[in-house]
Structure formats: C-alpha cells, structure tokens
C-alpha cells in the first residue's frame, strides 16, 4: 500500500513523466559547453548521424551529432580526441538517459591540435603524398602565375609588389577564405580549379601556383592542415609553392607542395628571377661572346699567315713534275717502236704453227670426243628412264594400297558415327519422354492445386459470393446500404437482388479484447431474418 500522503497524488503515465523530465533538463541547462574525451566513436551511422560518449576521469555522458551538423563541422570527431563540445542537454525517453546534442566541436587546446596534426601527417605520409619523387621543378620564368589567397589581405599586395620589382608577370588571383569555416574547401577548390583550366582557353592556365596566407596562430592556420587541402596540393599538375604563415609556422600543405617558402614575399622571389640582373648577365655574356669571337678570328688569321709563309712557291712545286714529263716525252717514240717489234715477232711465231694439217687433226679429235660423249649421254638417259619407270611403278602400288586402306578406315569411322548417332537419338527420345511425363505431372498437380484453392469449390458446397453493383466482393453487412443492388453468385449461376430497406442499421461497437468462452458454452442459434414482403429469402 502507498503511504497515506501519496494516496491522492496525481498519476503520471511513463510518457508524461519522460516528457516532464525532458522539459526540466532542457529548460534548466539549455546550451552548455562540455570538455571531455571522445569514447566509443566508430564513424558516422548509416543514417549520417554520429553516436558516441564524452568522458573524463570519473563520469561519462552520451552524445549525438545530427547529420546536418556533422556535415558543416570543421573538426570531425575521432576516437580518443579531447574536445570541447557545444550543444543542448536533453533526454532520450526510450532508454531513460540524458545526452548532449552537439552543434559544434573543437579540439581542447594546442596540444590536441598538435596531436591531431601529427596523426594526420603520419597518415598522409604513409600514403606517399610527401615523397620527394612527387615533387616537380619550378619553371624558370613562368608566363602566368596563379595565386590562391584572400583578396583583401596584405599578402596579395606584397606578392604583386615583389613581382613588379623583380620581373613583372601576369597574375591570376583566385579569392578564397583563408580562415574559418569553409576556408579549407575553398582553398582546395581553387587549386583544383586552376588545374582544370584549359591551356588554350580564354583564361590561360597558370604555369606556377602560389598558396599564400599571413602569419597567425595554429587555429588560424588550421585550414591548411585539412586533408582536403593537402590532397589537392599533392594532386596538382601545376608546380605549387606553399607560403603559409611566417618562417616558424609549419602546416601540412608545406610537405605536399613542390616548394615551401618561409613568407609570401619569399614565394614571389622564388617564382621569378630579377629582371635587371638578367639584363646585366645577358649584356656580360654578349660582351664575353664578342671578345671570344674576336680573339678566335685573330688567332685563325695569324695561323693562316704562318702557314702561308711556310708553304713553298708554285714554281718550286711544279719544277720536278715538269722535268719528269719532259724526260718521259723524249723516251716515248723509242718505246713505241720497241713495243711494235716485240708484238710482230710474237705474231710471226704463232702463225707458223697454224697449218691445215694441224687444224684437221684438231677437228678430228674434237669430233671423236663429241661421238663418245653422245653415246655416254644416250646410255645415261636410258638408265635414268628405266630407274624412273621402276620408281613410278612402286609408287603406284603403294598409292593403290594406301587408297584401299584409307577407304576402309573411312567406312569404319562412318559406321561408328552412325552407331553413335543412333545411341544418342535413342537417349534423346527417352529423355524427351521423361521430360514430357514430368511436365504432364506438374501440370496435373498445378490443376489440382488450382481447383482446390478456387473459390468455386466453396460455392459448390452451398456457399454464395455477394458482389455490389460495381462487381466488388462484399465482406460485411455494414457495407450494404438500404435498397442497394447486389449480385449473388452460386455454383450454377448469378442472381440479382436488392438489399432489405427495413433492416436496422448495424452499429459498430468499440473494439475490446475478446474473452475466451468456456468450453461448456454452446453457440447461440442464429436469429431468423423476417422475410420481406416483396422478395423471398436469399438463402
């Protein structure tokens, strides 16, 4: 029994009590800032919401981040990270517990930011985004320079002023936020946007990119530590210089960029050389080139003069050949006469041996050799012909034997194939008969099942199907209005009827759980419906 002082206390339902507690907690605390360590975070749920807990040394509170709040958070929750959460304290009635609905999340102090930065640095380094092999060489003199920075800060003015002093170049500025929510996405989009420009488009694609920002705290520079910015810098096809903060400021984009500059002004100095120094160097090289050419020409001129002095005169060079020509010209007539006499003596000696008897002997000898050679050729031809005839006869016998054996082998193969075809045809016929019998059995079984499930079997047992004037089945008497036209289907046909107009309207009783009747109770006999005057009973 409850105490006497609580007998007249009002009763609460569980839902009313939970709602009262929820209003009390929300009205008492409202928005709060809680510092704690993230525990039990396993990534966003399939619905996009995040569920985890915040804990310290002696307590723990459940936390939830809705999908839309998680999408716009700059710092994403991670397991074991100490954070400061801002949100609304409320309760969850289904499990009788309180929780905080987080609207914003930030790391708890510089130590947490540095730990998060070091963890992200190790992750990206393991993927190879900071490898030296990925670095590109900066162009020596770029035609177009793209700058990703804030258009209202002093950084862009310093870069433009330094470029104007050293070597004026065309500069394209992509204005972005360099601090705060959404700044990381804008910087990454600017880098990818410069890389997506066509080389021959209306806006030329830069030959060099500079991502610049002035100095600041670690929180101010945190946008350049975001993973989306680091990946965009690493994927840039255009060489990129990182000029974020002062010389002592280190961000993750510095490791992914092709070159790091300590300041934005130093980035401009790295981008282009000094024009006046180039002019002076070109003039110096031109002077040195002219002096070297003049010295070379003078040296060759001196060598030519020394060589000309060392050469003999033309008359001295031709004196000996001219003397030799005179000597040979004087000896030429005597040599011609001696050569003619020598050839005449040789001709006379050869003509003495060419008599008619010698010629006849040589002809007879040649004729004998020809006769002997002809006889030998005739005998060789006969022997060769006889050998060829014997060889062809042997080949003919082998060919006939091979033809007969090949024909017999083909006949045997045809017989085997015919026998195999007959066996396959018999197997196919038996398989077809078996398949047809199986299909007939399935069709007969389906017909029996259809007959068993058909409502016409129910009609054959004495029941009737009532339809309204639209042909829809009527399931309850309450659905039939006075004088409604109905169609009653029996097993042997349909009958059109009209509902009784004097039947009292059916009242719908409130639904209540039915009590099981005792086993001894017998069903009450059905009440007889009074027969209408103008129409007989339907049943």
């Amino acid at each position: 029994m409850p105490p006497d002082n609580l007998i007249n206390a009002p009763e609460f339902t569980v839902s009313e009590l939970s709602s009262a507690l929820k209003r009390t907690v929300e009205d008492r605390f409202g928005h709060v800032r809680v510092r704690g360590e993230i525990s039990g975070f396993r990534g966003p749920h399939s619905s996009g919401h995040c569920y985890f807990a915040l804990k310290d040394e002696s307590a723990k509170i459940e936390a939830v981040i809705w999908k839309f709040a998680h999408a716009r958070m700059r710092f994403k929750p991670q397991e074991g990270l100490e954070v400061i959460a801002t949100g609304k304290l409320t309760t969850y009635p289904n499990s009788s517990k309180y929780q905080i609905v987080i609207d914003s999340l930030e790391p708890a102090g510089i130590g947490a930011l540095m730990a998060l930065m070091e963890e992200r640095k190790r992750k990206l380094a393991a993927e190879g985004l900071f490898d030296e092999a990925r670095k590109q060489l900066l162009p020596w003199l770029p035609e177009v320079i793209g700058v990703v920075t804030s258009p209202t800060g002093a950084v862009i003015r310093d870069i433009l002023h330094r470029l104007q002093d050293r070597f004026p170049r065309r500069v394209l500025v992509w204005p972005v936020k360099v601090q705060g929510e959404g700044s990381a996405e804008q910087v990454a989009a600017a880098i990818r946007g410069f890389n997506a420009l066509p080389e021959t488009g209306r806006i030329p694609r830069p030959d060099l990119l500079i991502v610049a920002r002035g100095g600041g705290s670690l929180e101010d520079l945190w946008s350049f530590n975001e993973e989306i910015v680091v990946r965009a810098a690493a994927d840039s096809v255009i060489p990129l210089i990182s000029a974020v903060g002062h010389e002592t400021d280190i961000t993750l984009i510095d490791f992914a960029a092709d070159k790091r500059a300590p300041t934005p002004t130093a980035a401009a100095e790295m981008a282009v050389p000094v024009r006046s120094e180039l002019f002076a160097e070109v003039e110096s090289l031109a002077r040195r080139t002219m002096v070297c050419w003049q010295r070379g020409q003078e040296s060759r001129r001196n060598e030519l003069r020394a060589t000309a002095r060392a050469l003999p005169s033309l008359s001295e060079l031709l004196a000996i050949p001219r003397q030799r020509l005179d000597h040979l010209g004087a000896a030429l007539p005597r040599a011609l006469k001696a050569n003619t006499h020598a050839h005449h003596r040789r001709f006379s000696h050869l003509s003495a041996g060419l008599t008619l008897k010698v010629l006849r002997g040589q002809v007879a000898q040649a004729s004998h050799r020809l006769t002997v050679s002809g006889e030998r050729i005739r005998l060789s031809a006969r022997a060769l012909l006889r050998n060829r005839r014997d060889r062809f006869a042997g080949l003919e016998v082998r060919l006939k034997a091979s033809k007969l054996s090949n024909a017999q082998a083909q006949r045997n193969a045809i017989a085997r194939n015919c026998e195999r075809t007959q066996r396959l045809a018999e197997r196919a016929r038996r398989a077809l008969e078996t398949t047809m019998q199986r299909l007939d059995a399935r069709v007969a079984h389906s017909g029996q099942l259809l007959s068993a499930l058909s409502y016409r079997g129910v009609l054959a047992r004495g029941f009737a199907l009532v339809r309204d004037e639209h042909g829809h089945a009527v399931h309850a008497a309450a659905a039939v209005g006075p004088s409604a036209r109905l169609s009653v289907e029996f097993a042997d046909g349909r009958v059109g009827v009209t509902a009784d107009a004097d039947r009292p309207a059916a009242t719908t009783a409130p639904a209540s759980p039915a009590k099981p009747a005792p086993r001894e109770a017998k069903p009450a006999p059905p009440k007889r419906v009074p027969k209408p005057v103008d129409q007989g009973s339907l049943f």
Side-chain angles (χ1 to χ4, degrees):
M1 293 293 293
D4 296 338
N5 57 350
L6 297 180
I7 293 178
N8 296 326
E11 296 179 353
F12 291 96
T13 64
V14 176
S15 299
E16 291 174 348
L17 184 59
S18 298
S19 299
L21 291 174
K22 180 180 179 66
R23 289 193 299 271
T24 301
V25 171
E26 292 179 353
D27 294 342
R28 171 64 179 82
F29 292 96
H31 283 79
V32 295
R33 285 170 58 85
V34 180
R35 179 169 184 160
E37 179 183 342
I38 294 177
S39 174
F41 180 70
R42 297 296 180 268
H45 193 263
S46 59
S47 61
H49 310 313
C50 299
Y51 302 97
F52 54 93
L54 295 176
K55 68 175 184 178
D56 56 11
E57 294 81 0
S58 57
K60 183 174 72 171
I61 181 174
E62 298 296 328
V64 59
I65 302 177
W66 302 129
K67 178 180 179 181
F68 63 90
H70 182 264
R72 56 184 173 82
M73 280 186 176
R74 185 176 62 176
F75 294 100
K76 305 300 181 183
Q78 296 183 16
E79 178 69 18
L81 183 65
E82 186 178 4
V83 296
I84 298 176
T86 303
K88 183 178 181 181
L89 199 65
T90 182
T91 64
Y92 184 53
N94 286 1
S95 59
S96 300
K97 63 182 180 181
Y98 67 96
Q99 62 185 10
I100 179 174
V101 179
I102 298 176
D103 296 330
S104 62
L105 200 66
E106 57 187 82
I110 299 298
L113 287 178
M114 292 300 296
L116 179 59
M117 178 177 173
E118 290 299 325
E119 180 180 357
R120 189 171 294 170
K121 179 181 176 182
R122 288 193 297 270
K123 172 188 174 184
L124 298 177
E127 296 181 13
L129 299 184
F130 301 157
D131 293 345
E132 290 297 328
R134 298 173 57 94
K135 309 293 184 181
Q136 305 180 73
L137 296 178
L138 302 182
W140 184 72
L141 185 60
E143 293 292 334
V144 181
I145 300 175
V147 180
V148 179
T149 187
S150 172
T152 58
V155 172
I156 185 61
R157 291 193 294 271
D158 293 342
I159 292 176
L160 295 177
H161 179 71
R162 197 58 176 168
L163 291 176
Q164 186 67 27
D165 289 344
R166 291 174 66 87
F167 205 119
R169 296 280 87 184
R170 184 176 180 181
V171 178
L172 299 178
V173 180
W174 194 300
V176 296
K177 291 173 59 178
V178 295
Q179 181 179 346
E181 183 178 352
S183 58
E185 288 77 8
Q186 292 187 13
V187 173
I191 296 174
R192 293 193 176 96
F194 272 131
N195 281 270
L197 290 176
E199 296 183 1
T200 59
R202 185 174 60 88
I203 300 177
R205 190 170 74 172
D207 302 318
L208 180 66
L209 292 183
I210 299 177
V211 180
R213 189 206 186 280
S217 62
L218 181 60
E219 291 87 349
D220 297 337
L221 304 178
W222 189 256
S223 298
F224 299 92
N225 293 323
E226 294 291 349
E227 187 173 342
I228 185 175
V229 176
V230 178
R231 292 188 182 277
D235 296 338
S236 176
V237 179
I238 305 173
L240 187 142
I241 299 177
S242 171
V244 179
H246 298 305
E247 188 168 359
T248 57
D249 296 326
I250 300 296
T251 56
L252 295 183
I253 194 177
D254 297 336
F255 300 98
D258 299 307
K259 196 74 174 179
R260 177 188 178 269
T263 60
T265 304
E269 295 176 355
M270 293 179 181
V272 294
V274 181
R275 188 176 183 180
S276 58
E277 294 179 357
L278 290 179
F279 283 154
E281 185 175 359
V282 170
E283 292 178 358
S284 174
L285 292 176
R287 287 194 301 270
R288 291 175 60 185
T289 302
M290 181 59 67
V291 170
C292 291
W293 181 79
Q294 291 175 352
R295 289 178 179 175
Q297 292 296 103
E298 185 66 26
S299 176
R300 294 185 182 90
R301 188 180 294 109
N302 295 333
E303 291 177 358
L304 180 61
R305 291 172 180 172
T307 304
R309 287 194 298 267
L311 290 175
S313 62
L314 183 60
S315 58
E316 293 178 356
L317 291 174
L318 297 178
I320 296 176
R322 186 182 294 114
Q323 184 178 0
R324 187 181 297 113
L325 178 61
D326 294 341
H327 177 72
L328 293 176
L332 182 60
R334 295 192 301 271
L336 289 176
K337 290 180 179 180
N339 189 24
T340 302
H341 290 310
H343 282 81
H344 185 266
R345 286 195 303 270
R346 184 180 177 187
F347 178 73
S348 299
H349 178 71
L350 293 175
S351 61
L354 294 176
T355 60
L356 184 59
K357 184 179 181 180
V358 174
L359 290 176
R360 287 176 180 175
Q362 292 178 355
V363 170
Q365 187 178 1
S367 177
H368 177 70
R369 287 200 304 267
L370 181 61
T371 302
V372 173
S373 299
E375 185 64 23
R376 292 175 61 184
I377 291 174
R378 184 175 60 81
L379 296 176
S380 299
R382 288 180 180 178
L384 180 60
L385 183 60
R386 185 169 53 254
N387 292 336
R388 292 293 177 88
R389 188 180 294 111
D390 295 341
R391 182 181 177 187
F392 287 154
L395 291 175
E396 182 180 5
V397 173
R398 291 175 59 187
L399 181 60
K400 288 180 180 180
S402 175
K403 184 177 180 181
L404 292 176
S405 61
N406 189 18
Q408 185 63 30
Q410 293 295 331
R411 290 192 194 95
N412 296 336
I414 292 173
R416 288 194 301 271
N417 290 333
C418 290
E419 184 181 354
R420 184 182 179 188
T421 303
Q422 291 176 0
R423 290 198 305 271
L424 293 177
E426 182 63 22
R427 291 175 59 185
R429 184 184 61 78
R430 290 196 300 269
L432 180 60
E433 290 178 357
T434 304
T435 304
M436 292 301 296
Q437 292 174 1
R438 188 181 298 112
L439 293 178
D440 290 340
R442 289 181 60 186
V443 170
H445 177 70
S446 299
Q448 294 174 0
L449 183 61
L450 180 61
S451 299
L453 298 179
S454 176
Y455 75 97
R456 296 190 181 275
V458 180
L459 297 181
R461 295 198 298 270
F463 293 91
L465 177 61
V466 181
R467 291 189 175 91
D468 57 10
E469 58 184 358
H470 301 292
H472 300 154
V474 179
H475 300 282
V480 180
S483 302
R485 298 183 62 83
L486 304 174
S487 174
V488 180
E489 182 179 353
F490 297 93
D492 56 350
R494 295 187 181 184
V495 176
V497 298
T498 304
D500 187 3
D502 297 333
R503 179 178 54 84
T507 58
T508 304
S512 61
K515 297 182 179 180
R519 294 185 178 179
E520 294 78 13
K522 295 183 180 179
K527 296 181 179 181
R528 297 182 62 84
V529 179
K531 180 184 284 187
V533 178
D534 57 346
Q535 183 173 338
S537 175
L538 295 178
F539 304 103

